Amino acid sequence: MRNQSPPGRARLSDVARRAGVSAATVSRVLSRPGLVAEATREAVLKAVSETGYRINHAARNLRKQRTGCVVALLPNLANSFFAKILDGMGRELARAGYDLLVADTLEDSGRHTRLDRFLDPSRADGIVLMDGLAPFDDLAGRPDLPPVITACEWIEGVELPRVMLDNRKGAELAVTHLRDLGHDHIGLIGGPPDNVLHKDRLAGAQTAAGSARITGFPGDFTMQSGQRAAEAWLALPARDRPGAVFAFSDEMACAFMSGLRRAGISVPQDLSIIGFDDIELVSHLTPALTTIRQPKREIGRKAAQIILDRIAGQEIPTVTLLEPELMLRETTAAPQR
Amino acid sequence: MRNQSPPGRARLSDVARRAGVSAATVSRVLSRPGLVAEATREAVLKAVSETGYRINHAARNLRKQRTGCVVALLPNLANSFFAKILDGMGRELARAGYDLLVADTLEDSGRHTRLDRFLDPSRADGIVLMDGLAPFDDLAGRPDLPPVITACEWIEGVELPRVMLDNRKGAELAVTHLRDLGHDHIGLIGGPPDNVLHKDRLAGAQTAAGSARITGFPGDFTMQSGQRAAEAWLALPARDRPGAVFAFSDEMACAFMSGLRRAGISVPQDLSIIGFDDIELVSHLTPALTTIRQPKREIGRKAAQIILDRIAGQEIPTVTLLEPELMLRETTAAPQR
DNA sequence: CCTTGCCCTGCAATCGATTGCAAACATTTT
DNA sequence: AAAATGTTTGCAATCGATTGCAGGGCAAGG
């Protein structure tokens, strides 16, 4: 009897009955209005607004074999870096009528989740993976999966399209800047050794360092590790202390700088520091951090465009590199004589 | 002919054929195994794993009239504060088998989006709104909408369940702390005047201030406004400068402190500063910021639990308050004599 | 041997929108 | 005037899983 007296929500057929046409016609008015005669179309639109009709997504998705969702998989939603990227991505997807589903690749425990939960064409039309360590080996070319791309990070040895900063060039910019200032002993606070970003940035830094001496400090992109690097730097005999330090993340750079300042070292007089990422806060520090900017929203936007193109069946580039930029601020200067 | 030769993906009926049972039985094995005889169940499970069957969500959702999604609506995804909340929320939802859909309430232009796009039972089973200024007036009790709750912020005059920090108490903690140190002239860097968080915190601050003198600085929670507050403070004649300042967000507190340090003011000797939120970075500054902690992940988790309860049809509390905590660090001290 | 009742299982309707096909009608061409 | 072409619309099948209802099988009780 539901057919006679719609309970709360109008269905396509309710609109049709009201407009005196078939459900097919209503559907066409809504999706390809050009196919329907002017007069009919108007009657239908009137009925639509009178009934307050709203489409049922589940029904449409079932019929059209799509979901209207793109899922972003990230290791740490709480990281503000990813947040900015999601922001750009979400907006771009919304413009195209897609929703953004976000999910962690890590359990609370720190172990990787079963990703196949999301690798499912009935859940998402496309996937943007932002965790270079996700267990994704065997999934590269399976035709029963929705399209997958990686953003920011990528997985070595797996053939997935990539969108990311030109990390190597970013590191080159940083170290070249320090070299240009006259530094010939440069400290590097890196990321986890097996992290692809770390590897690329390290390579870029080494290239640009040329004959300069390099001293490495272990790090993992977190502030805790930046702090440890400060302790390590302070523990060095004065003549082994690099006069300039390039941290592979702004968070490490901040904590490093804070640790040194606490010990009475002044920046940039005694020590130059340069970071990586250009998170919003660092431009408001005193002194303001010189750093390498990643266009975060732009990365998100670009990733969205590319996954949408793939969903639309187009060819997409294997690697998309975005340009880093040197943000010259107050923490770098020529070494003291 | 699709019925005879499944193309890529196994359907329920394919599994059924393979196991020699009906689709209904397969469905029951998967959802209520207790209803099915042991032997049948095993045969079905075998067929399931042999075919690599994966459920089609659109079909199930259509039939069950649900979506398996909860949508979080926020004004600014790029804000790390919200990111942490989403983190807690996403994990809790995942545990219950729900997906987290995120969306901005603001357009690129800064105008509010048409929220009804998400106010749709066919898109989400529940909604967590985190924007106190969203145009939500008329939507409070409509039965054709999925359940809505607000988190962090809320909308005045609209009867929606709320989950948030006890902002008033947080502000009281902050100001009481300054009073206990002996400050009798306190500066407040507030939020936008019509923001509910601002109003609550202001009320709390005033209560705790008692007879102390209060000087207000306009703000909007951003670092830019913190910087402007610094300029305003510096522009005051010395005897009108409050010796302690409570900023309603850590970002403002950071920028404020940075601006003063740049002008040669030392913290906390010349001026005490206390923030609000306890974003991760502030504990790594030098000096480390004293602030009021919001349990961000906990807020997210709690919001998730409550919206899930509502979805399950349970009664839920109208207001859920979480406890703030004073994080005593290095930026507050007794005023100089 | 016949009921009665329980346990399993299958049938078939249902969720709501989309779309290939063809009918019905209008318009143009020959 | 007949034929060809074009436009508009409806019919009915389809997407894939769920579930109320009823029937078959079997055991226990009379």
Side-chain angles (χ1 to χ4, degrees), chain B residues 29 66 70 91 98 125 132 135 138 187 212 219 223 225 232 236 256 258 267 288 295 299 310 325 332 335:
Chain B
V29 168
R66 52 155 250 162
V70 165
R91 301 199 120 88
Y98 275 79
D125 297 337
D138 46 339
M223 287 188 276
S225 68
L236 290 172
F256 180 71
S258 171
V267 176
I299 294 175
R310 256 303 327 258
E325 184 186 354
T332 49

mmCIF file with all atom_site columns, all heavy atoms in Angstrom, chain B residues 29 66 70 91 98 125 132 135 138 187 212 219 223 225 232 236 256 258 267 288 295 299 310 325 332 335:
data_model
loop_
_atom_site.group_PDB
_atom_site.id
_atom_site.type_symbol
_atom_site.label_atom_id
_atom_site.label_alt_id
_atom_site.label_comp_id
_atom_site.label_asym_id
_atom_site.label_entity_id
_atom_site.label_seq_id
_atom_site.pdbx_PDB_ins_code
_atom_site.Cartn_x
_atom_site.Cartn_y
_atom_site.Cartn_z
_atom_site.occupancy
_atom_site.B_iso_or_equiv
_atom_site.pdbx_formal_charge
_atom_site.auth_seq_id
_atom_site.auth_comp_id
_atom_site.auth_asym_id
_atom_site.auth_atom_id
_atom_site.pdbx_PDB_model_num
ATOM 1   N N   . VAL B 1 29  ? 23.568 -16.597 6.122  1.00 0.00 ? 29  VAL B N   1
ATOM 2   C CA  . VAL B 1 29  ? 24.854 -17.042 6.658  1.00 0.00 ? 29  VAL B CA  1
ATOM 3   C C   . VAL B 1 29  ? 25.699 -15.829 7.010  1.00 0.00 ? 29  VAL B C   1
ATOM 4   O O   . VAL B 1 29  ? 26.374 -15.787 8.040  1.00 0.00 ? 29  VAL B O   1
ATOM 5   C CB  . VAL B 1 29  ? 25.609 -17.915 5.644  1.00 0.00 ? 29  VAL B CB  1
ATOM 6   C CG1 . VAL B 1 29  ? 27.064 -18.123 6.086  1.00 0.00 ? 29  VAL B CG1 1
ATOM 7   C CG2 . VAL B 1 29  ? 24.918 -19.248 5.465  1.00 0.00 ? 29  VAL B CG2 1
ATOM 8   N N   . ARG B 1 66  ? 19.725 2.417   4.764  1.00 0.00 ? 66  ARG B N   1
ATOM 9   C CA  . ARG B 1 66  ? 20.744 3.085   5.548  1.00 0.00 ? 66  ARG B CA  1
ATOM 10  C C   . ARG B 1 66  ? 21.964 3.292   4.653  1.00 0.00 ? 66  ARG B C   1
ATOM 11  O O   . ARG B 1 66  ? 21.976 2.825   3.507  1.00 0.00 ? 66  ARG B O   1
ATOM 12  C CB  . ARG B 1 66  ? 21.126 2.289   6.780  1.00 0.00 ? 66  ARG B CB  1
ATOM 13  C CG  . ARG B 1 66  ? 21.493 0.835   6.472  1.00 0.00 ? 66  ARG B CG  1
ATOM 14  C CD  . ARG B 1 66  ? 22.406 0.287   7.526  1.00 0.00 ? 66  ARG B CD  1
ATOM 15  N NE  . ARG B 1 66  ? 23.742 0.100   6.978  1.00 0.00 ? 66  ARG B NE  1
ATOM 16  C CZ  . ARG B 1 66  ? 24.832 -0.033  7.705  1.00 0.00 ? 66  ARG B CZ  1
ATOM 17  N NH1 . ARG B 1 66  ? 24.763 0.044   9.003  1.00 0.00 ? 66  ARG B NH1 1
ATOM 18  N NH2 . ARG B 1 66  ? 26.001 -0.234  7.139  1.00 0.00 ? 66  ARG B NH2 1
ATOM 19  N N   . VAL B 1 70  ? 28.596 8.355   8.401  1.00 0.00 ? 70  VAL B N   1
ATOM 20  C CA  . VAL B 1 70  ? 28.285 9.518   9.231  1.00 0.00 ? 70  VAL B CA  1
ATOM 21  C C   . VAL B 1 70  ? 29.055 10.681  8.630  1.00 0.00 ? 70  VAL B C   1
ATOM 22  O O   . VAL B 1 70  ? 30.225 10.527  8.273  1.00 0.00 ? 70  VAL B O   1
ATOM 23  C CB  . VAL B 1 70  ? 28.720 9.288   10.691 1.00 0.00 ? 70  VAL B CB  1
ATOM 24  C CG1 . VAL B 1 70  ? 28.737 10.593  11.464 1.00 0.00 ? 70  VAL B CG1 1
ATOM 25  C CG2 . VAL B 1 70  ? 27.804 8.283   11.357 1.00 0.00 ? 70  VAL B CG2 1
ATOM 26  N N   . ARG B 1 91  ? 37.992 6.813   14.207 1.00 0.00 ? 91  ARG B N   1
ATOM 27  C CA  . ARG B 1 91  ? 38.329 5.521   14.805 1.00 0.00 ? 91  ARG B CA  1
ATOM 28  C C   . ARG B 1 91  ? 37.116 4.902   15.473 1.00 0.00 ? 91  ARG B C   1
ATOM 29  O O   . ARG B 1 91  ? 36.851 3.707   15.336 1.00 0.00 ? 91  ARG B O   1
ATOM 30  C CB  . ARG B 1 91  ? 39.438 5.689   15.833 1.00 0.00 ? 91  ARG B CB  1
ATOM 31  C CG  . ARG B 1 91  ? 40.695 6.273   15.278 1.00 0.00 ? 91  ARG B CG  1
ATOM 32  C CD  . ARG B 1 91  ? 41.867 5.969   16.202 1.00 0.00 ? 91  ARG B CD  1
ATOM 33  N NE  . ARG B 1 91  ? 42.851 5.214   15.477 1.00 0.00 ? 91  ARG B NE  1
ATOM 34  C CZ  . ARG B 1 91  ? 43.821 5.769   14.751 1.00 0.00 ? 91  ARG B CZ  1
ATOM 35  N NH1 . ARG B 1 91  ? 43.912 7.074   14.664 1.00 0.00 ? 91  ARG B NH1 1
ATOM 36  N NH2 . ARG B 1 91  ? 44.664 5.021   14.093 1.00 0.00 ? 91  ARG B NH2 1
ATOM 37  N N   . TYR B 1 98  ? 31.054 2.004   10.683 1.00 0.00 ? 98  TYR B N   1
ATOM 38  C CA  . TYR B 1 98  ? 30.608 3.166   9.935  1.00 0.00 ? 98  TYR B CA  1
ATOM 39  C C   . TYR B 1 98  ? 31.773 3.888   9.261  1.00 0.00 ? 98  TYR B C   1
ATOM 40  O O   . TYR B 1 98  ? 32.900 3.862   9.765  1.00 0.00 ? 98  TYR B O   1
ATOM 41  C CB  . TYR B 1 98  ? 29.886 4.144   10.861 1.00 0.00 ? 98  TYR B CB  1
ATOM 42  C CG  . TYR B 1 98  ? 28.436 3.802   11.042 1.00 0.00 ? 98  TYR B CG  1
ATOM 43  C CD1 . TYR B 1 98  ? 28.053 2.787   11.912 1.00 0.00 ? 98  TYR B CD1 1
ATOM 44  C CD2 . TYR B 1 98  ? 27.460 4.460   10.326 1.00 0.00 ? 98  TYR B CD2 1
ATOM 45  C CE1 . TYR B 1 98  ? 26.714 2.448   12.070 1.00 0.00 ? 98  TYR B CE1 1
ATOM 46  C CE2 . TYR B 1 98  ? 26.131 4.135   10.475 1.00 0.00 ? 98  TYR B CE2 1
ATOM 47  C CZ  . TYR B 1 98  ? 25.758 3.130   11.340 1.00 0.00 ? 98  TYR B CZ  1
ATOM 48  O OH  . TYR B 1 98  ? 24.429 2.804   11.491 1.00 0.00 ? 98  TYR B OH  1
ATOM 49  N N   . ASP B 1 125 ? 23.719 8.406   7.679  1.00 0.00 ? 125 ASP B N   1
ATOM 50  C CA  . ASP B 1 125 ? 22.815 7.957   8.731  1.00 0.00 ? 125 ASP B CA  1
ATOM 51  C C   . ASP B 1 125 ? 22.793 8.922   9.899  1.00 0.00 ? 125 ASP B C   1
ATOM 52  O O   . ASP B 1 125 ? 21.909 8.865   10.742 1.00 0.00 ? 125 ASP B O   1
ATOM 53  C CB  . ASP B 1 125 ? 23.243 6.576   9.238  1.00 0.00 ? 125 ASP B CB  1
ATOM 54  C CG  . ASP B 1 125 ? 23.137 5.536   8.140  1.00 0.00 ? 125 ASP B CG  1
ATOM 55  O OD1 . ASP B 1 125 ? 22.372 5.755   7.194  1.00 0.00 ? 125 ASP B OD1 1
ATOM 56  O OD2 . ASP B 1 125 ? 23.828 4.507   8.231  1.00 0.00 ? 125 ASP B OD2 1
ATOM 57  N N   . GLY B 1 132 ? 29.268 26.480  14.446 1.00 0.00 ? 132 GLY B N   1
ATOM 58  C CA  . GLY B 1 132 ? 28.203 27.155  15.183 1.00 0.00 ? 132 GLY B CA  1
ATOM 59  C C   . GLY B 1 132 ? 27.466 28.200  14.377 1.00 0.00 ? 132 GLY B C   1
ATOM 60  O O   . GLY B 1 132 ? 26.426 28.698  14.800 1.00 0.00 ? 132 GLY B O   1
ATOM 61  N N   . PRO B 1 135 ? 23.872 27.710  8.812  1.00 0.00 ? 135 PRO B N   1
ATOM 62  C CA  . PRO B 1 135 ? 22.459 28.101  8.727  1.00 0.00 ? 135 PRO B CA  1
ATOM 63  C C   . PRO B 1 135 ? 21.544 26.905  8.948  1.00 0.00 ? 135 PRO B C   1
ATOM 64  O O   . PRO B 1 135 ? 21.132 26.251  8.015  1.00 0.00 ? 135 PRO B O   1
ATOM 65  C CB  . PRO B 1 135 ? 22.353 28.626  7.292  1.00 0.00 ? 135 PRO B CB  1
ATOM 66  C CG  . PRO B 1 135 ? 23.442 27.925  6.538  1.00 0.00 ? 135 PRO B CG  1
ATOM 67  C CD  . PRO B 1 135 ? 24.527 27.654  7.515  1.00 0.00 ? 135 PRO B CD  1
ATOM 68  N N   . ASP B 1 138 ? 15.984 26.051  10.767 1.00 0.00 ? 138 ASP B N   1
ATOM 69  C CA  . ASP B 1 138 ? 14.695 25.407  10.598 1.00 0.00 ? 138 ASP B CA  1
ATOM 70  C C   . ASP B 1 138 ? 14.789 23.892  10.609 1.00 0.00 ? 138 ASP B C   1
ATOM 71  O O   . ASP B 1 138 ? 13.811 23.194  10.447 1.00 0.00 ? 138 ASP B O   1
ATOM 72  C CB  . ASP B 1 138 ? 14.109 25.856  9.266  1.00 0.00 ? 138 ASP B CB  1
ATOM 73  C CG  . ASP B 1 138 ? 15.143 25.786  8.153  1.00 0.00 ? 138 ASP B CG  1
ATOM 74  O OD1 . ASP B 1 138 ? 16.349 25.794  8.466  1.00 0.00 ? 138 ASP B OD1 1
ATOM 75  O OD2 . ASP B 1 138 ? 14.742 25.702  6.984  1.00 0.00 ? 138 ASP B OD2 1
ATOM 76  N N   . GLY B 1 187 ? 44.474 40.674  30.530 1.00 0.00 ? 187 GLY B N   1
ATOM 77  C CA  . GLY B 1 187 ? 44.045 40.921  29.161 1.00 0.00 ? 187 GLY B CA  1
ATOM 78  C C   . GLY B 1 187 ? 43.362 39.687  28.589 1.00 0.00 ? 187 GLY B C   1
ATOM 79  O O   . GLY B 1 187 ? 43.734 38.564  28.906 1.00 0.00 ? 187 GLY B O   1
ATOM 80  N N   . ALA B 1 212 ? 39.359 41.816  39.550 1.00 0.00 ? 212 ALA B N   1
ATOM 81  C CA  . ALA B 1 212 ? 40.508 42.196  38.724 1.00 0.00 ? 212 ALA B CA  1
ATOM 82  C C   . ALA B 1 212 ? 40.070 43.037  37.543 1.00 0.00 ? 212 ALA B C   1
ATOM 83  O O   . ALA B 1 212 ? 38.951 42.913  37.044 1.00 0.00 ? 212 ALA B O   1
ATOM 84  C CB  . ALA B 1 212 ? 41.247 40.952  38.241 1.00 0.00 ? 212 ALA B CB  1
ATOM 85  N N   . GLY B 1 219 ? 39.767 39.533  18.629 1.00 0.00 ? 219 GLY B N   1
ATOM 86  C CA  . GLY B 1 219 ? 40.474 38.423  17.991 1.00 0.00 ? 219 GLY B CA  1
ATOM 87  C C   . GLY B 1 219 ? 39.496 37.552  17.231 1.00 0.00 ? 219 GLY B C   1
ATOM 88  O O   . GLY B 1 219 ? 38.276 37.790  17.288 1.00 0.00 ? 219 GLY B O   1
ATOM 89  N N   . MET B 1 223 ? 46.108 33.313  14.053 1.00 0.00 ? 223 MET B N   1
ATOM 90  C CA  . MET B 1 223 ? 47.402 33.879  14.406 1.00 0.00 ? 223 MET B CA  1
ATOM 91  C C   . MET B 1 223 ? 47.496 35.347  14.007 1.00 0.00 ? 223 MET B C   1
ATOM 92  O O   . MET B 1 223 ? 48.099 36.143  14.722 1.00 0.00 ? 223 MET B O   1
ATOM 93  C CB  . MET B 1 223 ? 48.500 33.060  13.760 1.00 0.00 ? 223 MET B CB  1
ATOM 94  C CG  . MET B 1 223 ? 48.641 31.730  14.489 1.00 0.00 ? 223 MET B CG  1
ATOM 95  S SD  . MET B 1 223 ? 50.035 30.758  13.971 1.00 0.00 ? 223 MET B SD  1
ATOM 96  C CE  . MET B 1 223 ? 49.320 29.966  12.573 1.00 0.00 ? 223 MET B CE  1
ATOM 97  N N   . SER B 1 225 ? 45.263 37.536  14.172 1.00 0.00 ? 225 SER B N   1
ATOM 98  C CA  . SER B 1 225 ? 44.654 38.389  15.179 1.00 0.00 ? 225 SER B CA  1
ATOM 99  C C   . SER B 1 225 ? 45.490 38.394  16.463 1.00 0.00 ? 225 SER B C   1
ATOM 100 O O   . SER B 1 225 ? 45.492 39.376  17.202 1.00 0.00 ? 225 SER B O   1
ATOM 101 C CB  . SER B 1 225 ? 43.206 37.967  15.459 1.00 0.00 ? 225 SER B CB  1
ATOM 102 O OG  . SER B 1 225 ? 43.148 36.716  16.086 1.00 0.00 ? 225 SER B OG  1
ATOM 103 N N   . ALA B 1 232 ? 48.594 45.880  19.615 1.00 0.00 ? 232 ALA B N   1
ATOM 104 C CA  . ALA B 1 232 ? 47.708 46.680  20.455 1.00 0.00 ? 232 ALA B CA  1
ATOM 105 C C   . ALA B 1 232 ? 48.263 46.779  21.876 1.00 0.00 ? 232 ALA B C   1
ATOM 106 O O   . ALA B 1 232 ? 48.255 47.851  22.493 1.00 0.00 ? 232 ALA B O   1
ATOM 107 C CB  . ALA B 1 232 ? 46.304 46.058  20.477 1.00 0.00 ? 232 ALA B CB  1
ATOM 108 N N   . LEU B 1 236 ? 49.795 50.320  24.108 1.00 0.00 ? 236 LEU B N   1
ATOM 109 C CA  . LEU B 1 236 ? 49.223 50.871  25.343 1.00 0.00 ? 236 LEU B CA  1
ATOM 110 C C   . LEU B 1 236 ? 50.303 51.565  26.166 1.00 0.00 ? 236 LEU B C   1
ATOM 111 O O   . LEU B 1 236 ? 51.458 51.149  26.161 1.00 0.00 ? 236 LEU B O   1
ATOM 112 C CB  . LEU B 1 236 ? 48.617 49.742  26.186 1.00 0.00 ? 236 LEU B CB  1
ATOM 113 C CG  . LEU B 1 236 ? 47.351 49.069  25.655 1.00 0.00 ? 236 LEU B CG  1
ATOM 114 C CD1 . LEU B 1 236 ? 47.013 47.854  26.507 1.00 0.00 ? 236 LEU B CD1 1
ATOM 115 C CD2 . LEU B 1 236 ? 46.188 50.054  25.643 1.00 0.00 ? 236 LEU B CD2 1
ATOM 116 N N   . PHE B 1 256 ? 50.820 36.094  19.544 1.00 0.00 ? 256 PHE B N   1
ATOM 117 C CA  . PHE B 1 256 ? 50.907 37.199  20.498 1.00 0.00 ? 256 PHE B CA  1
ATOM 118 C C   . PHE B 1 256 ? 52.278 37.183  21.176 1.00 0.00 ? 256 PHE B C   1
ATOM 119 O O   . PHE B 1 256 ? 53.000 38.180  21.200 1.00 0.00 ? 256 PHE B O   1
ATOM 120 C CB  . PHE B 1 256 ? 49.790 37.045  21.531 1.00 0.00 ? 256 PHE B CB  1
ATOM 121 C CG  . PHE B 1 256 ? 49.752 38.119  22.578 1.00 0.00 ? 256 PHE B CG  1
ATOM 122 C CD1 . PHE B 1 256 ? 49.347 39.403  22.263 1.00 0.00 ? 256 PHE B CD1 1
ATOM 123 C CD2 . PHE B 1 256 ? 50.121 37.842  23.888 1.00 0.00 ? 256 PHE B CD2 1
ATOM 124 C CE1 . PHE B 1 256 ? 49.310 40.395  23.232 1.00 0.00 ? 256 PHE B CE1 1
ATOM 125 C CE2 . PHE B 1 256 ? 50.084 38.823  24.863 1.00 0.00 ? 256 PHE B CE2 1
ATOM 126 C CZ  . PHE B 1 256 ? 49.680 40.105  24.543 1.00 0.00 ? 256 PHE B CZ  1
ATOM 127 N N   . SER B 1 258 ? 54.956 35.712  20.216 1.00 0.00 ? 258 SER B N   1
ATOM 128 C CA  . SER B 1 258 ? 56.022 35.949  19.250 1.00 0.00 ? 258 SER B CA  1
ATOM 129 C C   . SER B 1 258 ? 56.173 37.450  18.979 1.00 0.00 ? 258 SER B C   1
ATOM 130 O O   . SER B 1 258 ? 57.280 37.990  18.947 1.00 0.00 ? 258 SER B O   1
ATOM 131 C CB  . SER B 1 258 ? 55.701 35.183  17.968 1.00 0.00 ? 258 SER B CB  1
ATOM 132 O OG  . SER B 1 258 ? 56.585 35.544  16.954 1.00 0.00 ? 258 SER B OG  1
ATOM 133 N N   . VAL B 1 267 ? 58.842 36.815  28.367 1.00 0.00 ? 267 VAL B N   1
ATOM 134 C CA  . VAL B 1 267 ? 57.751 36.012  28.920 1.00 0.00 ? 267 VAL B CA  1
ATOM 135 C C   . VAL B 1 267 ? 58.402 34.887  29.709 1.00 0.00 ? 267 VAL B C   1
ATOM 136 O O   . VAL B 1 267 ? 59.319 34.234  29.197 1.00 0.00 ? 267 VAL B O   1
ATOM 137 C CB  . VAL B 1 267 ? 56.903 35.444  27.761 1.00 0.00 ? 267 VAL B CB  1
ATOM 138 C CG1 . VAL B 1 267 ? 55.813 34.526  28.300 1.00 0.00 ? 267 VAL B CG1 1
ATOM 139 C CG2 . VAL B 1 267 ? 56.302 36.576  26.919 1.00 0.00 ? 267 VAL B CG2 1
ATOM 140 N N   . ALA B 1 288 ? 57.686 27.145  26.834 1.00 0.00 ? 288 ALA B N   1
ATOM 141 C CA  . ALA B 1 288 ? 56.519 26.310  26.520 1.00 0.00 ? 288 ALA B CA  1
ATOM 142 C C   . ALA B 1 288 ? 55.259 26.982  27.048 1.00 0.00 ? 288 ALA B C   1
ATOM 143 O O   . ALA B 1 288 ? 55.243 27.484  28.175 1.00 0.00 ? 288 ALA B O   1
ATOM 144 C CB  . ALA B 1 288 ? 56.696 24.925  27.131 1.00 0.00 ? 288 ALA B CB  1
ATOM 145 N N   . PRO B 1 295 ? 40.467 17.917  25.411 1.00 0.00 ? 295 PRO B N   1
ATOM 146 C CA  . PRO B 1 295 ? 40.723 16.532  25.026 1.00 0.00 ? 295 PRO B CA  1
ATOM 147 C C   . PRO B 1 295 ? 40.122 16.284  23.647 1.00 0.00 ? 295 PRO B C   1
ATOM 148 O O   . PRO B 1 295 ? 38.986 15.845  23.523 1.00 0.00 ? 295 PRO B O   1
ATOM 149 C CB  . PRO B 1 295 ? 40.015 15.722  26.111 1.00 0.00 ? 295 PRO B CB  1
ATOM 150 C CG  . PRO B 1 295 ? 38.917 16.607  26.588 1.00 0.00 ? 295 PRO B CG  1
ATOM 151 C CD  . PRO B 1 295 ? 39.372 18.026  26.389 1.00 0.00 ? 295 PRO B CD  1
ATOM 152 N N   . ILE B 1 299 ? 36.795 14.252  22.472 1.00 0.00 ? 299 ILE B N   1
ATOM 153 C CA  . ILE B 1 299 ? 35.588 14.922  21.981 1.00 0.00 ? 299 ILE B CA  1
ATOM 154 C C   . ILE B 1 299 ? 35.071 14.204  20.737 1.00 0.00 ? 299 ILE B C   1
ATOM 155 O O   . ILE B 1 299 ? 33.879 13.924  20.599 1.00 0.00 ? 299 ILE B O   1
ATOM 156 C CB  . ILE B 1 299 ? 35.875 16.401  21.651 1.00 0.00 ? 299 ILE B CB  1
ATOM 157 C CG1 . ILE B 1 299 ? 36.217 17.173  22.933 1.00 0.00 ? 299 ILE B CG1 1
ATOM 158 C CG2 . ILE B 1 299 ? 34.679 17.046  20.954 1.00 0.00 ? 299 ILE B CG2 1
ATOM 159 C CD1 . ILE B 1 299 ? 36.634 18.617  22.686 1.00 0.00 ? 299 ILE B CD1 1
ATOM 160 N N   . ARG B 1 310 ? 22.231 7.580   18.830 1.00 0.00 ? 310 ARG B N   1
ATOM 161 C CA  . ARG B 1 310 ? 21.041 8.182   18.228 1.00 0.00 ? 310 ARG B CA  1
ATOM 162 C C   . ARG B 1 310 ? 20.578 7.381   17.015 1.00 0.00 ? 310 ARG B C   1
ATOM 163 O O   . ARG B 1 310 ? 19.395 7.146   16.814 1.00 0.00 ? 310 ARG B O   1
ATOM 164 C CB  . ARG B 1 310 ? 21.357 9.607   17.745 1.00 0.00 ? 310 ARG B CB  1
ATOM 165 C CG  . ARG B 1 310 ? 20.888 10.803  18.536 1.00 0.00 ? 310 ARG B CG  1
ATOM 166 C CD  . ARG B 1 310 ? 19.407 10.934  18.811 1.00 0.00 ? 310 ARG B CD  1
ATOM 167 N NE  . ARG B 1 310 ? 18.440 10.464  17.856 1.00 0.00 ? 310 ARG B NE  1
ATOM 168 C CZ  . ARG B 1 310 ? 17.754 11.220  17.021 1.00 0.00 ? 310 ARG B CZ  1
ATOM 169 N NH1 . ARG B 1 310 ? 17.941 12.506  17.015 1.00 0.00 ? 310 ARG B NH1 1
ATOM 170 N NH2 . ARG B 1 310 ? 16.868 10.710  16.217 1.00 0.00 ? 310 ARG B NH2 1
ATOM 171 N N   . GLU B 1 325 ? 41.576 21.014  31.198 1.00 0.00 ? 325 GLU B N   1
ATOM 172 C CA  . GLU B 1 325 ? 42.655 20.759  32.148 1.00 0.00 ? 325 GLU B CA  1
ATOM 173 C C   . GLU B 1 325 ? 43.706 21.850  32.002 1.00 0.00 ? 325 GLU B C   1
ATOM 174 O O   . GLU B 1 325 ? 44.055 22.233  30.882 1.00 0.00 ? 325 GLU B O   1
ATOM 175 C CB  . GLU B 1 325 ? 43.258 19.381  31.840 1.00 0.00 ? 325 GLU B CB  1
ATOM 176 C CG  . GLU B 1 325 ? 44.333 18.949  32.801 1.00 0.00 ? 325 GLU B CG  1
ATOM 177 C CD  . GLU B 1 325 ? 44.989 17.642  32.351 1.00 0.00 ? 325 GLU B CD  1
ATOM 178 O OE1 . GLU B 1 325 ? 44.519 17.040  31.356 1.00 0.00 ? 325 GLU B OE1 1
ATOM 179 O OE2 . GLU B 1 325 ? 45.976 17.239  32.979 1.00 0.00 ? 325 GLU B OE2 1
ATOM 180 N N   . THR B 1 332 ? 53.672 31.435  32.386 1.00 0.00 ? 332 THR B N   1
ATOM 181 C CA  . THR B 1 332 ? 52.966 32.194  33.409 1.00 0.00 ? 332 THR B CA  1
ATOM 182 C C   . THR B 1 332 ? 53.814 32.251  34.682 1.00 0.00 ? 332 THR B C   1
ATOM 183 O O   . THR B 1 332 ? 54.465 31.277  35.026 1.00 0.00 ? 332 THR B O   1
ATOM 184 C CB  . THR B 1 332 ? 51.598 31.572  33.757 1.00 0.00 ? 332 THR B CB  1
ATOM 185 O OG1 . THR B 1 332 ? 51.762 30.170  33.989 1.00 0.00 ? 332 THR B OG1 1
ATOM 186 C CG2 . THR B 1 332 ? 50.618 31.780  32.626 1.00 0.00 ? 332 THR B CG2 1
ATOM 187 N N   . PRO B 1 335 ? 53.448 38.341  38.866 1.00 0.00 ? 335 PRO B N   1
ATOM 188 C CA  . PRO B 1 335 ? 53.824 39.629  38.267 1.00 0.00 ? 335 PRO B CA  1
ATOM 189 C C   . PRO B 1 335 ? 55.057 40.199  38.970 1.00 0.00 ? 335 PRO B C   1
ATOM 190 O O   . PRO B 1 335 ? 55.289 39.917  40.148 1.00 0.00 ? 335 PRO B O   1
ATOM 191 C CB  . PRO B 1 335 ? 52.594 40.506  38.533 1.00 0.00 ? 335 PRO B CB  1
ATOM 192 C CG  . PRO B 1 335 ? 51.871 39.854  39.667 1.00 0.00 ? 335 PRO B CG  1
ATOM 193 C CD  . PRO B 1 335 ? 52.175 38.403  39.588 1.00 0.00 ? 335 PRO B CD  1
#
